[in-house]
Amino acid sequence: MIRLIRSAIVMLLLLTAVTGVLYPLVATGLAQALFPSQANGSLIEKDGKPVGSALIGQSFTDPKYFWGRPSATAPQPDNAAASTGSNLGPTNPALTDAVKQRIDALRAADPENHAPVPVDLVTASGSGLDPEISPAAAAYQVPRVARVRGLSESQVRAMVSMATAGRQFGVLGEPRVNVLKLNMALDAH
Amino acid sequence: MTTNDFLQIAIYLVALLLLVKPAGSYMALVFAETPNGVLRAGRHIENLLYRLSGVRAEEQMGWRRYAIAMLVFNMAGLVVVYALQRLQQWLPLNPQHFGAVTPDSAINTAISFVSNTNWQGYAGESTMSYLTQMLGLAVQNFLSAATGIAVLVAVVRGFVRRSADSIGNFWVDMTRSTLYILLPFSLVIALLLASQGVVQNFRSYVDVPLMQHTTAVETVKDAAGNTVKDAAGKDVTRETTVTTQTLPMGPAASQIAIKQLGTNGGGFFNANSAHPYENPTPFSNFIEMLAIFLIPAGLCFTFGSMVGDRRQGWAILATMLLIFVPLALGAVAAEQAGNPALHGLAVDQQAGTLQAGGNMEGKETRFGIAASGLFTAITTAASCGAVNNMHDSLTPLGGLVPMWLMQLGEVIFGGVGSGLYGMLAFAVVAVFIAGLMVGRTPEYLGKKIEAHEMKMASLAVLVPCALVVICTAIAVATPAGTAGAANPGAHGFSEMLYAVTSASNNNGSAFGGLSANTPFWNVLLGVCMYFSRFLLAIAMLAMAGSLAAKRHVPPSAGTLPTHTPLFVTLLACVVIVVGALTFLPALALGPIAEFLMSAH
């Protein structure tokens, strides 16, 4: 039995070295060599300084910006250090109330728009950090952003399509619009 | 459902089936009794590990010795994971200076990772140091998976060997699983994930400026830690302006690869595979889904190849698909139909060319409905438990699917190794039932199934069922249990049922609203995870020991062939009947009640 316990402990230490140290180091070395930008967080840089990540959403409530997915993170929305969804069940009244409030906020920012709101724009994302919205959610916001910025809708639509990615390989996932990139492009315009 | 929903599911199934034979025959080489190219290539490293740890690789173990080696090895792992969490504040590689994890949470997490469950009561990015993640959690991702494969291989040897008193060597099976299967597969998957944007570095978290400042709202607490209330009885809150965003970093890709491949499921970040740094694109999602089923599906082929009749392996795989495919379609359909509670509001839930539509609460835009619903079915059919959308926010029927897939005993693909040995227990039960019908002694794979085998198979089938039903009852009857539920009514019950189901079947996914990081839940779920994992493994090893000692019975006219559509149907029925009879009453109180209320 003593011999067995000794074997177990030594084997655990050895395999810890292989799977817990060697493996992540090799993976890091290869990933940093082959995909440095992706492995370091897909950061967007301006003047050599990171100003955001293409993969991590930021919160926008100003009418001049496109708004992203609602975020349930605490204490502030899109808190990248504490990812979480709302975990509200489908029949929870708190979910219906939250959706109503979000519809009201969108309508208040754009009173003339009476179209139904695309569902992803009023429901919290799973991570609370979703960087993207559906093309429908972007199209819904085009008139507002164009009006506030004094641009034509076709100009704004052209910028939206620049920030749009289709299904990957034409079939996987869903088409989507990167909100941070789109808003950066708008500010740079 | 949309055409694209069907298309994405079909592409996944085709890709998986194409991988079954290559992966399965490779794994058969790893566990071959005779030397071959794979074993020769790693001979030196393997022998070095055996020599240093004083293991005699040529020793053949009986089932008891095999089981004891497995238990002792896993107990050593448990102690190390516990110690790392309790001591991390004094250890290196802790750039965010996280303190020690509480004892109940640490023991829960240690059991969770050693038992291949990876239930997570804590939030990764705000609790665990890089060192704890690497040396504790990531290592157990490998070793718990390797343990599952080792036990499976030993069980299969029970059928293969004739009049033998041994079922293999635990150290050799576990080491070979790690070195030849889990490590190389993981490295490839980690690099594929990194290419899509999964982070892989050792940097501190990065602060970036926000384009638009946001407001943090926190409740004010007094010196005793209680929330301060105003005159109207509302919580007093304090608002602060936030100007930066802190981006988490770390060696995520390497850990996520093995988390999926080893059907572990414990996320590097709290949001698990919904987090954009853990699952950034639809393609990374596809890879992660393939990684979950790759080994469980491939092992069916390995099994067929080891018992000398590949049709036996394909029959088991067909049984799994027969149950999996309808349930996966059901999950996607339920989510695509959207949430009836939002029908009265000005919300557009219709699928179209510009949006996925459906129930998007808790889902990511890039995955939409098809890639989320399919992931949900895969991660719970296998005992993975990673999530790319929040299961708590699934529609009632969309939430029933993952819950029931787990309650079927995690044998529809199931955990690496453990899923297939669980399914073999069901196969033994199925041939026994068929034997009762025709009045002959049942046989499976040339071995007579007698009282001892039936006892062990029944134990393996019933232990998780009993744990789920009894422990859910305890939780519901205890104030400390019900205090954890976040949602009101039937959904609150579903949260508790889901948690106990997940722990007792070593899955690890959650209806995340449940506040399970309390002493009550940590201990209750810890007990479920430990006993489910190890009682099952011991029962199956005991069965293997007795099978190995038996003579081979050549098939006769009265033998039920176990590779035919008839047997596939029978086996699927046994799995479904056990799962339905045991859990229908509980499901009626949770998701079914919620569905009937919401449809009203």
Side-chain angles (χ1 to χ4, degrees), chain A:
Chain A
M1 195 65 189
I2 302 286
R3 214 177 71 90
L4 181 72
I5 293 173
R6 200 190 132 261
S7 291
I9 292 170
V10 177
M11 191 57 107
L12 178 64
L13 291 178
L14 293 172
L15 289 178
T16 297
V18 175
T19 61
V21 181
L22 199 61
Y23 162 67
L25 286 179
V26 169
T28 307
L30 288 172
Q32 290 288 338
L34 297 170
F35 316 108
S37 163
Q38 293 95 314
N40 290 317
S42 307
L43 300 177
I44 302 172
E45 302 208 338
K46 203 169 154 188
D47 307 325
K49 279 193 178 151
V51 292
S53 164
L55 293 178
I56 305 289
Q58 295 188 6
S59 172
F60 294 99
T61 51
D62 192 321
K64 71 177 178 177
Y65 288 124
F66 280 86
W67 300 0
R69 297 288 304 278
S71 164
T73 61
Q76 77 269 19
D78 291 276
N79 178 4
S83 59
T84 185
S86 73
N87 286 317
L88 293 177
T91 54
N92 192 331
L95 172 65
T96 327
D97 290 345
V99 170
K100 274 187 199 145
Q101 276 179 20
R102 290 164 190 153
I103 296 172
D104 291 346
L106 283 160
R107 293 257 159 106
D110 189 12
E112 284 118 75
N113 193 343
H114 298 294
V117 185
V119 62
D120 61 304
L121 204 50
V122 289
T123 46
S125 66
S127 62
L129 306 172
D130 194 340
E132 292 149 343
I133 53 176
S134 68
Y140 176 87
Q141 303 184 69
V142 165
R144 182 192 77 223
V145 174
R147 197 183 61 245
V148 176
R149 290 192 175 250
L151 299 169
S152 75
E153 288 190 16
S154 61
Q155 275 176 307
V156 176
R157 231 172 264 126
M159 296 173 91
V160 169
S161 65
M162 295 277 285
T164 304
R167 288 201 169 97
Q168 211 166 0
F169 313 125
V171 59
L172 296 180
E174 297 296 332
R176 56 220 193 269
V177 181
N178 189 300
V179 177
L180 184 64
K181 284 185 185 167
L182 175 57
N183 286 333
M184 283 180 169
L186 281 168
D187 272 3
H189 185 70

Side-chain angles (χ1 to χ4, degrees), chain B residues 429-577:
Chain B
V429 174
V431 292
F432 175 75
I433 290 172
L436 283 183
M437 289 178 189
V438 296
R440 283 185 60 100
T441 313
E443 296 157 19
Y444 187 50
L445 305 171
K447 291 292 175 85
K448 273 204 162 66
I449 303 300
E450 292 166 301
H452 183 259
E453 288 75 40
M454 272 316 294
K455 276 184 206 154
M456 293 303 129
S458 309
L459 207 59
V461 167
L462 295 178
V463 160
C465 294
L467 280 171
V468 173
V469 176
I470 294 169
C471 292
T472 305
I474 293 175
V476 172
T478 319
T482 50
N487 283 282
H491 197 82
F493 174 74
S494 294
E495 287 180 336
M496 291 184 269
L497 176 63
Y498 194 104
V500 180
T501 298
S502 174
S504 304
N505 289 283
N506 297 123
N507 181 277
S509 67
F511 270 16
L514 185 79
S515 303
N517 197 2
T518 62
F520 172 84
W521 279 105
N522 278 331
V523 170
L524 183 79
L525 298 178
V527 168
C528 290
M529 291 187 282
Y530 191 85
F531 284 104
S532 170
R533 172 75 170 179
F534 293 108
L535 274 182
L536 237 84
I538 293 169
M540 289 309 288
L541 287 172
M543 180 163 103
S546 112
L547 285 171
K550 294 184 188 222
R551 285 184 303 112
H552 180 79
V553 189
S556 66
T559 306
L560 172 77
T562 50
H563 60 266
T564 57
L566 178 71
F567 181 74
V568 168
T569 315
L570 176 69
L571 179 53
C573 287
V574 170
V575 173
I576 288 173
V577 166

Side-chain angles (χ1 to χ4, degrees), chain B residues 258-271:
Chain B
I258 183 62
K259 146 201 148 190
Q260 305 294 116
L261 183 73
T263 62
N264 293 286
F268 196 83
F269 303 113
N270 186 45

Side-chain angles (χ1 to χ4, degrees), chain B residues 402-414:
Chain B
M403 215 182 297
W404 200 49
L405 272 168
M406 292 188 288
Q407 288 165 346
L408 292 181
E410 288 300 10
V411 296
I412 310 306
F413 295 96

